[in-house]
Amino acid sequence: MAHYREVLGVILGGGRGTNMEPLTPYLDKPLIKLLGKPLIYYPTNNLVYLGLRTIYIISRDPAKVGNEVGRYFSNVSIENVGQRGDDIDSALKMIYEIAGRGTTIISFGDVILPREAYELALNSHVNSGKPVTVLMTPLSDLQGYFEVQVDDVVVINKVNEHKSGYAWTGILIAEREFLVSLHDFNGNINSTLMRFKGNVNVALWSGWFVDVSYPWDLLSAIKYLMSDLREARISKDADISSKAVIEGPVIVDEGARIDHGAIIRGPVYIGRNAYVGNNALIRNNTSLEEESVIGADAEITESLIGYRATVGRGSFIGSSVIGDESTIEPGVVTLNVLPSGVEVSHLSPVIVKGKQIAKLGAIVGPKARVGANSVIYPGSIIEHNRYIPPLSVLK
């Protein structure tokens, strides 16, 4: 996409991700893998799609993030910068220092949107002629999100109660004068927006949007990222039994092995060198990350199975996130329908047979182990490295 001005990109990936525990003891949130790619890949890819050739990524570990992102983008200048301080104000203050010479698209590294949202925001900004554009989206429940309030002054604040309104998508497009003021106000976005009272453009996005603040947001991200997949994409280097069944939109990466009698019912992602055993059933927006192992007769639905994680024979994993290198022994069952009245931030209920229910299975941290024939109640959190003995009932 061509523009009459220089356009730079800045991705904010320096948050500690404390709400993502127990998934982040060893790995920063931007590097959590989703459909085979780190979380921060998705906003970066959208900026590249817009035609940007210079992108800055602010993170706590620029060397590690740079090494990971560099695998996917060879024709773009990606500068990795270490964040000073832990809060969002610290990151916002830095932007003028590193990229304050043109139109700058600022994106949160943990928010996933389709590329059309970025196009809409940039086109709206260019057409408005104003020094800053805020992209917002309508939500029926803003609890846990940043709300955009539009009046004489545009204000962005975190919401802790149930209410409808407009959520900030994490995208801000700014000209140099706004970034100068943002720096002068030490990254305080509301003070800066106040200075530009009456001169702030607000763009409205009405499509899907995922703010990955909690582990279960990863499950929503899988659903939406695969929503445009219409056909199977199977690597020629995958080993798929002639007696396996693949239905619907499925991605199978190189080196993956799918054994006799397995059923893969898309949308499903099966990562590099992953293994699916005899008669296993993988279905409904599930992502099996690189080198994960699914035992014979296991069933996985609406779940994320992390890097080198193992799910044993005959287990049922539903609406769950299984951390990297964790082991679920044979016969484990995750219950995934929350009791009526239980509220979880960012978790939207679904309609099943005319009834509204909230679904959330287990969140299992990296390198944990759940013993054979255990039952895990809905919404259970298992810390990293924890061992659950066989025949346990975890409530």
Side-chain angles (χ1 to χ4, degrees):
M1 179 180 294
H3 300 282
Y4 66 87
R5 64 185 88 183
E6 182 181 18
V7 181
L8 308 173
V10 175
I11 298 175
L12 307 182
R16 288 192 175 275
T18 53
N19 288 334
M20 293 297 290
E21 295 177 357
L23 299 181
T24 52
Y26 314 111
L27 191 68
D28 286 349
K29 181 165 65 168
L31 298 181
I32 293 175
K33 291 289 183 69
L34 199 63
L35 305 182
K37 296 180 175 64
L39 198 57
I40 205 163
Y41 163 87
Y42 296 101
T44 306
N45 190 52
N46 282 333
L47 293 179
V48 172
Y49 172 80
L50 287 179
L52 276 63
R53 288 294 173 261
T54 302
I55 299 169
Y56 298 88
I57 299 177
I58 300 175
S59 68
R60 291 198 301 143
D61 193 339
K64 187 178 291 185
V65 170
N67 180 63
E68 186 66 39
V69 174
R71 300 180 185 183
Y72 305 99
F73 305 102
S74 58
N75 297 321
V76 181
S77 173
I78 297 181
E79 303 290 335
N80 291 278
V81 182
Q83 179 166 324
R84 298 192 295 269
D86 290 330
D87 58 4
I88 186 174
D89 289 5
S90 301
L92 290 171
K93 180 180 179 180
M94 293 176 59
I95 295 174
Y96 171 67
E97 301 170 16
I98 62 176
R101 63 180 185 272
T103 302
T104 302
I105 303 177
I106 302 163
S107 174
F108 282 9
D110 55 1
V111 171
I112 299 181
L113 289 154
R115 57 183 54 169
E116 292 83 1
Y118 285 73
E119 287 183 311
L120 182 149
L122 184 55
N123 288 333
S124 177
H125 179 75
V126 171
N127 292 333
S128 75
K130 293 184 176 180
V132 62
T133 292
V134 177
L135 182 66
M136 65 183 189
T137 189
L139 284 184
S140 59
D141 189 354
L142 286 169
Q143 186 184 41
Y145 293 90
F146 284 98
E147 180 185 19
V148 181
Q149 295 176 307
V150 181
D151 206 333
D152 291 339
V153 178
V154 176
V155 178
I156 300 174
N157 287 312
K158 193 72 173 282
V159 177
N160 295 316
E161 70 271 13
H162 296 291
K163 60 182 290 190
S164 61
Y166 295 95
W168 184 24
T169 63
I171 293 180
L172 187 81
I173 305 181
E175 299 300 327
R176 183 179 184 278
E177 60 265 38
F178 186 86
L179 296 179
V180 170
S181 292
L182 192 59
H183 182 272
D184 291 344
F185 281 114
N186 292 315
N188 188 299
I189 192 167
N190 283 330
S191 296
T192 311
L193 289 169
M194 174 70 78
R195 174 175 285 184
F196 286 83
K197 177 181 178 180
N199 205 20
V200 176
N201 178 49
V202 178
L204 180 63
W205 168 248
S206 57
W208 63 264
F209 146 79
V210 182
D211 175 1
V212 182
S213 294
Y214 302 95
W216 43 92
D217 289 321
L218 295 168
L219 304 180
S220 297
I222 292 170
K223 174 183 175 181
Y224 286 117
L225 285 170
M226 298 199 75
S227 61
D228 290 332
L229 189 62
R230 296 289 180 265
E231 59 187 9
R233 300 176 187 172
I234 300 174
S235 169
K236 62 180 179 60
D237 296 319
D239 181 7
I240 302 176
S241 167
S242 61
K243 296 181 180 179
V245 177
I246 295 181
E247 300 175 348
V250 173
I251 299 174
V252 182
D253 268 349
E254 63 184 62
R257 183 184 171 198
I258 302 175
D259 223 327
H260 305 311
I263 299 175
I264 315 297
R265 187 174 295 153
V268 164
Y269 169 78
I270 299 177
R272 293 178 65 248
N273 301 318
Y275 171 75
V276 179
N278 296 341
N279 303 311
L281 172 60
I282 315 297
R283 61 187 179 93
N284 292 2
N285 300 303
T286 287
S287 181
L288 308 183
E289 296 302 319
E290 183 176 355
E291 297 186 30
S292 57
V293 175
I294 309 301
D297 300 305
E299 180 178 354
I300 317 291
T301 180
E302 298 176 322
S303 294
L304 171 61
I305 310 299
Y307 169 71
R308 286 188 174 177
T310 297
V311 176
R313 171 188 292 270
S315 292
F316 172 77
I317 306 296
S319 308
S320 298
V321 179
I322 309 301
D324 295 349
E325 300 184 78
S326 286
T327 299
I328 308 297
E329 292 184 358
V332 172
V333 174
T334 59
L335 306 179
N336 65 342
V337 178
L338 290 166
S340 178
V342 173
E343 295 182 354
V344 179
S345 292
H346 284 211
L347 187 65
S348 299
V350 296
I351 304 298
V352 178
K353 296 182 179 180
K355 294 180 62 178
Q356 191 176 73
I357 63 172
K359 298 175 70 175
L360 179 61
I363 308 299
V364 180
K367 300 182 180 180
R369 190 177 193 94
V370 180
N373 299 311
S374 293
V375 177
I376 306 175
Y377 270 56
S380 294
I381 294 178
I382 299 175
E383 299 297 330
H384 69 281
N385 286 327
R386 185 178 175 187
Y387 173 63
I388 306 296
L391 300 174
S392 294
V393 177
L394 188 65
K395 295 186 178 181

